[in-house]
Amino acid sequence: MTADYRFDPLQFPMPGRTGLFPRRDIDLYAELSGLVGVCVHGFMLADLERKAWDLRKKYWQSGEGAWAVFREAVHQCYPHLPAEEKLEQDGYDFDSLYELAVYRRIKPMLPSSVKLDVHPVVKGCSFQEAAFADFKVSSTQSGKSCFIEVVGLFDRTFTAYCSMQKERKDETLRRLHRYPTHQRPILIFKDRVCAPEQVVAALRQAIEAVAEDGLRTAA
């Protein structure tokens, strides 16, 4: 019988706490995901700190399945971080990870006097009779409401850096301008989603717009 000289992982098992990826990279990914509130995708790393760019270049931009293997390695070390984040939660289908992150962020912030609607209808819109917003917070006492739009394709400069952004810019602007003047939404751009203090400040403004004592009640 011909000898088999191939590496046998059963004969030579991997040493404990090591793998294909440096543990510092796995830990950094887990830290960034905890910061944003979702398992950050490669495109989200551009809106995070400089160290995130290194992860982006090493595992996401390199292609050839490196990102999927890296995410699986993260899941093995941090079981609460799935290898693939699903956009469905609590019966809602979200359009992007940015929208899902905002949903997870606002839920614990709501005082008892404010309710949250996901993908509510907006009436009286320009360009169309009715449309759907991303979120709406409303006072259960006065009925006063405030819409929230997550602009997951652009940062606050609204600059188009890639072909997809160039193609979608006019469509996105029409979406934002369709609101009646008395119902201007709170805007949360993608870079704000990746900055906890800024997304919390924007959501706090939306809640305070419908209930002056909302945050004190929540506290």
Side-chain angles (χ1 to χ4, degrees):
M1 179 181 295
T2 303
D4 187 351
Y5 296 99
R6 290 176 299 177
F7 170 70
D8 182 359
L10 297 180
Q11 183 178 358
F12 304 102
M14 183 73 74
R17 298 186 63 80
T18 63
L20 295 174
F21 307 101
R23 183 58 191 247
R24 64 180 179 275
D25 288 351
I26 292 175
D27 291 344
L28 174 59
Y29 178 88
E31 177 186 339
L32 296 172
S33 295
L35 183 76
V36 178
V38 295
C39 293
V40 293
H41 198 282
F43 52 75
M44 300 181 86
L45 296 174
D47 295 312
L48 291 161
E49 58 192 54
R50 180 65 190 176
K51 290 184 292 185
W53 273 95
D54 294 334
L55 293 183
R56 179 183 170 96
K57 288 188 296 182
K58 288 164 65 175
Y59 305 126
W60 189 66
Q61 289 182 331
S62 60
E64 299 181 0
W67 183 249
V69 178
F70 175 68
R71 288 285 298 274
E72 181 59 37
V74 171
H75 176 63
Q76 294 301 317
C77 294
Y78 293 91
H80 69 286
L81 298 177
E84 181 180 357
E85 184 82 85
K86 303 297 184 183
L87 292 178
E88 189 278 332
Q89 183 168 332
D90 297 341
Y92 302 113
D93 288 315
F94 295 97
D95 292 332
S96 68
L97 287 174
Y98 295 100
E99 190 178 328
L100 176 60
V102 171
Y103 174 72
R104 290 179 176 173
R105 185 76 67 178
I106 194 172
K107 281 183 62 180
M109 292 179 60
L110 292 174
S112 59
S113 61
V114 176
K115 70 171 184 174
L116 173 69
D117 290 313
V118 179
H119 303 150
V121 173
V122 184
K123 298 180 180 179
C125 289
S126 303
F127 319 120
Q128 55 192 129
E129 277 190 26
F132 293 95
D134 290 330
F135 303 103
K136 181 177 74 171
V137 289
S138 306
S139 169
T140 58
Q141 299 169 353
S142 67
K144 191 174 182 180
S145 62
C146 179
F147 291 100
I148 301 168
E149 280 286 338
V150 182
V151 191
L153 197 61
F154 294 92
D155 60 27
R156 74 198 78 179
T157 69
F158 218 81
T159 303
Y161 297 101
C162 65
S163 58
M164 179 183 293
Q165 289 173 321
K166 292 175 182 176
E167 292 171 4
R168 299 278 296 277
K169 186 169 185 176
D170 289 347
E171 174 191 341
T172 303
L173 283 171
R174 280 192 294 269
R175 177 180 176 87
L176 300 180
H177 279 281
R178 68 189 177 175
Y179 283 86
T181 55
H182 65 286
Q183 290 185 321
R184 292 184 300 165
I186 297 291
L187 299 185
I188 303 181
F189 292 95
K190 70 186 187 78
D191 53 331
R192 289 197 171 117
V193 174
C194 294
E197 69 286 351
Q198 293 191 29
V199 71
V200 166
L203 295 174
R204 190 184 298 268
Q205 181 182 349
I207 294 172
E208 290 178 341
V210 302
E212 288 187 6
D213 63 340
L215 295 179
R216 288 193 292 273
T217 302

